[in-house]
Amino acid sequence: MLLSSAQIDSAEPWLSHLRKSRPANRVDSLSSAGTPGFCAPETSTGTLSSASDVFSFGMIAYSLATGLRPFQDQLDGHVSPSEHIQKLLAQGQRPTVPSGNSEQWQTRLLDLAVQCWAQNAADRPTINDIKL
C-alpha cells in the first residue's frame, strides 16, 4: 500500500498512485496479451480462457510469496526478454521455486502457484477450486 505525504497525515490509504507510476522496465509493456512472465503459454497463440487467468494468478502468487518477478534470474544478457520468456514457457519451464526457510503461508502459496502453472490449461485448477 502506498501513501502520499498528505494521506499519511490524514490516514487515508491508497493501493497505488497512478500519476506517479511508471513501467518497471520497457519490455513489460510490449506484449499485447499481458505482461511477459505472467501470461500463460497459450497466449502466444492467441488462445485465452479462464485457465489463462489462473496461470497468471499463479505467477502473481509466486511473486507475492518470493518477492521476485517470474524468470527475473534468467533474463540477464537477453536482447529480447519477452521473447525469451515466451520460449521458456513454451518449453514448459517455470520460475525457480526457492526452498528453505519459508513461512507456512509462503509454502502454501507456492504450492498453489505450481498447480496453476500446468502446461496444459485443462490440468490447472479452476478459480473456484483455488483455496489457501
Side-chain angles (χ1 to χ4, degrees):
M1 183 165 49
L2 304 174
L3 300 174
S4 71
S5 58
Q7 291 168 317
I8 291 172
D9 294 334
S10 66
E12 295 176 21
W14 288 44
L15 292 177
S16 68
H17 196 297
L18 296 178
R19 286 181 284 163
K20 294 182 182 181
S21 67
R22 60 184 169 76
N25 68 38
R26 299 190 109 234
V27 297
D28 286 347
S29 60
L30 295 178
S31 173
S32 61
T35 304
F38 289 84
C39 295
E42 63 270 14
T43 59
S44 65
T45 62
T47 306
L48 300 173
S49 69
S50 59
S52 305
D53 292 337
V54 168
F55 183 94
S56 297
F57 171 81
M59 290 299 184
I60 292 168
Y62 168 83
S63 293
L64 289 171
T66 64
L68 302 171
R69 294 174 60 93
F71 302 106
Q72 125 181 354
D73 60 336
Q74 299 176 34
L75 296 179
D76 292 339
H78 289 280
V79 175
S80 177
S82 51
E83 286 180 19
H84 181 65
I85 289 171
Q86 285 180 333
K87 181 179 173 184
L88 292 173
L89 289 171
Q91 294 170 347
Q93 294 187 37
R94 299 297 182 262
T96 305
V97 176
S99 59
N101 301 330
S102 295
E103 299 279 337
Q104 183 179 8
W105 69 267
Q106 289 171 306
T107 302
R108 291 177 64 194
L109 199 54
L110 286 169
D111 290 344
L112 177 60
V114 170
Q115 293 173 37
C116 294
W117 295 342
Q119 187 74 9
N120 183 345
D123 294 336
R124 298 178 198 144
T126 66
I127 200 68
N128 292 329
D129 294 335
I130 294 175
K131 295 183 180 24
L132 285 177

